[in-house]
Amino acid sequence: MNEKQIVIIGGGAAGMMAALTAARQGGNVTLVDKNRVLGRKLRITGKGRCNVTNDCPEAEVLKNVPCNGRFLYSALSQLSPADVKAFFQEELDVPLKTERGNRVFPQSDRADDIADALVKALRREYVTILTGRATAILTENGAVSGVKLENGTRLPADGVILCTGGVSYPATGSTGDGYQMVKALGHTVVTPRGSLVPLEAEACCGELQGLSLRNIGIRVENQAGKTLYEDFGELLFTHFGLSGPVILSASAHMRDFVHEQYQVVIDLKPALDDKTLDTRLLRDFQENANRDFQNSLGGLLPKKLIPEVIRRSGIPPETKIHDVTREQRHSLLHVLKHFTVQITGPRPVRDAIVTSGGIRVSEVNPSTMASKRIPGLYFAGEVLDVDAYTGGFNLQIAWATGYVAGCWSVWDA
């Protein structure tokens, strides 16, 4: 039996995959995590449903990785989305289903089923699971020799896999510990920032706080008017700006708030083109001909949104509907199809679903996830400077890089 000692730091998706893989390759594996329960963040992903992967070819995954996608080419060829599906269904006995956008979920809609299946598999492979905080990766003669824990314990290791995640959702344990450990070893860390994060916006959003809009369209534009992203779905106004599924997805396309300015253009009636919507307005106006403008939009918009739409239309609220001009009606139509919100910045990284930034990938071997600086050191998951859009792509990255690191830590160590 291969007696190579492999220590994995971090018990999230990447860490558990790395530990399980290393154990199956014959390594003597110890998994260290700060939390008593493994997979804390994994258990809350996808609103507790866990979007396991995306049922698409590897090339499609790469298209959904805006940051350093080419780095993942080898990892995805070693563990593809199809491999991930087979792993959970056939090896861990977790039935899966595929929904809109090729998003793969457990049939139970319970993220805990994914995490629990991984934990059971770790125990079957006799992985030692320790609760504790790693504070340093130890080296001897320039190569990995072990891991030091906060309580003073030193774990000898032939190979160490760092899977500590980023700095989003710090309550789950992602507090940036891994960055400090690798900086001490000479690795470069690209400054972390939020991706898939709510957005701070102009003051009008605070007045609309709590309003949720379903089945709306959005378009993200930069200051030059270039469309960067379009989507359809649900949006939420908050005290600070905008949130909701379409906003989290859109935020991943706003990657340079230092040099760029962004706006979100909301189509409140995406199912109606301009001509059809104008016909609808004419019909509503005829039915409310003697009412004030401010009292005639209840059938068209949520009550909370009406005052802001009226303000933007430029039509005096007390105007009788029969006095609204053709130009004013077209102004209202434009607001309904182009409700524009100026974005002032992202929320703090701790509020993000995913961290963008991390260990510079040019310092990592893409075929093995091994450090190019420290022999015996490997990386997997969100700790790397790689992030993707929503749809199961970020977890696919975690599984693939964890698998590769788990294999090569034993083969190379």
Side-chain angles (χ1 to χ4, degrees):
M1 178 175 287
N2 191 324
E3 291 299 320
K4 289 175 179 175
Q5 305 292 317
I6 307 298
V7 176
I8 287 90
I9 307 174
M16 287 193 284
M17 176 62 88
L20 181 57
T21 303
R24 288 180 170 185
Q25 298 303 315
N28 189 341
V29 180
T30 300
L31 174 60
V32 181
D33 191 78
K34 288 190 285 188
N35 298 309
R36 185 176 56 83
V37 177
L38 295 180
R40 283 281 299 276
K41 187 175 178 181
L42 180 63
R43 295 173 187 274
I44 62 173
T45 59
K47 296 183 178 179
R49 296 179 64 216
C50 189
N51 188 178
V52 179
T53 186
N54 193 283
D55 191 8
C56 68
E58 298 94 292
E60 188 65 26
V61 177
L62 295 177
K63 290 179 182 177
N64 284 274
V65 182
C67 181
N68 298 319
R70 291 177 61 187
F71 172 79
L72 295 169
Y73 182 86
S74 179
L76 291 170
S77 69
Q78 294 178 66
L79 191 82
S80 68
D83 295 329
V84 169
K85 287 183 62 181
F87 169 73
F88 280 105
Q89 293 193 118
E90 299 170 17
E91 297 186 42
L92 300 194
D93 198 28
V94 181
L96 303 175
K97 61 182 177 180
T98 302
E99 297 186 355
R100 180 179 62 86
N102 296 321
R103 299 173 187 230
V104 178
F105 295 89
Q107 282 189 10
S108 64
D109 285 328
R110 296 183 69 252
D112 282 338
D113 288 352
I114 297 294
D116 289 344
L118 286 164
V119 173
K120 289 178 183 176
L122 291 171
R123 298 193 186 284
R124 284 197 301 269
E125 297 294 338
Y126 302 102
V127 171
T128 300
I129 300 173
L130 297 182
T131 301
R133 177 172 173 262
T135 56
I137 298 167
L138 305 175
T139 60
E140 189 173 309
N141 298 321
V144 160
S145 62
V147 172
K148 182 181 178 181
L149 304 187
E150 191 172 42
N151 64 7
T153 300
R154 290 174 178 250
L155 304 173
D158 300 298
V160 171
I161 309 176
L162 188 68
C163 308
T164 48
V167 288
S168 54
Y169 283 119
T172 66
S174 298
T175 54
D177 291 359
Y179 300 149
Q180 304 311 313
M181 285 186 269
V182 296
K183 281 182 179 179
L185 297 176
H187 267 285
T188 306
V189 174
V190 177
T191 303
R193 61 176 183 80
S195 183
L196 307 183
V197 63
L199 298 171
E200 296 183 354
E202 59 184 289
C204 74
C205 294
E207 300 170 7
L208 299 172
Q209 177 181 351
L211 175 63
S212 177
L213 299 178
R214 295 172 180 251
N215 302 320
I216 51 88
I218 68 159
R219 185 172 71 253
V220 175
E221 296 179 349
N222 63 12
Q223 70 263 36
K226 179 182 178 181
T227 297
L228 305 178
Y229 180 71
E230 293 182 274
D231 201 358
F232 175 87
E234 184 177 350
L235 173 153
L236 175 68
F237 288 95
T238 70
H239 67 284
F240 57 77
L242 299 173
S243 189
V246 296
I247 294 302
L248 296 180
S249 297
S251 70
H253 299 260
M254 304 179 193
R255 307 190 74 84
D256 188 4
F257 280 96
V258 175
H259 302 102
E260 294 264 27
Q261 295 178 356
Y262 303 99
Q263 62 181 16
V264 172
V265 182
I266 305 170
D267 185 346
L268 298 169
K269 297 295 175 182
L272 305 177
D273 60 23
D274 286 11
K275 183 178 179 180
T276 306
L277 180 56
D278 194 36
T279 301
R280 162 76 185 274
L281 290 177
L282 281 169
R283 186 180 71 243
D284 287 359
F285 282 9
Q286 288 171 358
E287 292 174 355
N288 296 277
N290 296 315
R291 303 186 71 178
D292 289 352
F293 177 55
Q294 63 187 350
N295 297 323
S296 66
L297 300 177
L300 194 67
L301 295 167
K303 182 178 180 181
K304 200 167 191 175
L305 188 59
I306 291 174
E308 181 62 20
V309 168
I310 289 175
R311 184 186 70 80
R312 292 179 179 225
S313 74
I315 305 172
E318 298 82 12
T319 303
K320 294 296 182 182
I321 285 294
H322 58 70
D323 289 331
V324 173
T325 67
R326 181 174 180 271
E327 289 73 21
Q328 288 177 319
R329 189 180 77 247
H330 285 177
S331 175
L332 172 61
L333 188 151
H334 182 80
V335 172
L336 296 175
K337 298 293 285 184
H338 304 85
F339 189 97
T340 302
V341 178
Q342 300 297 325
I343 305 302
T344 57
R347 290 292 286 171
V349 65
R350 65 177 179 270
D351 294 342
I353 294 176
V354 172
T355 301
S356 180
I359 298 164
R360 180 166 287 163
V361 296
S362 62
E363 300 173 1
V364 181
N365 185 325
S367 298
T368 64
M369 296 299 131
S371 165
K372 293 180 180 180
R373 296 182 179 273
I374 310 293
L377 177 59
Y378 301 80
F379 308 107
E382 200 174 343
V383 74
L384 292 161
D385 183 23
V386 182
D387 64 280
Y389 303 140
T390 57
F393 301 109
N394 285 290
L395 271 180
Q396 175 61 38
I397 293 171
W399 307 131
T401 55
Y403 173 81
V404 171
C407 288
W408 286 93
S409 66
V410 176
W411 298 344
D412 279 350

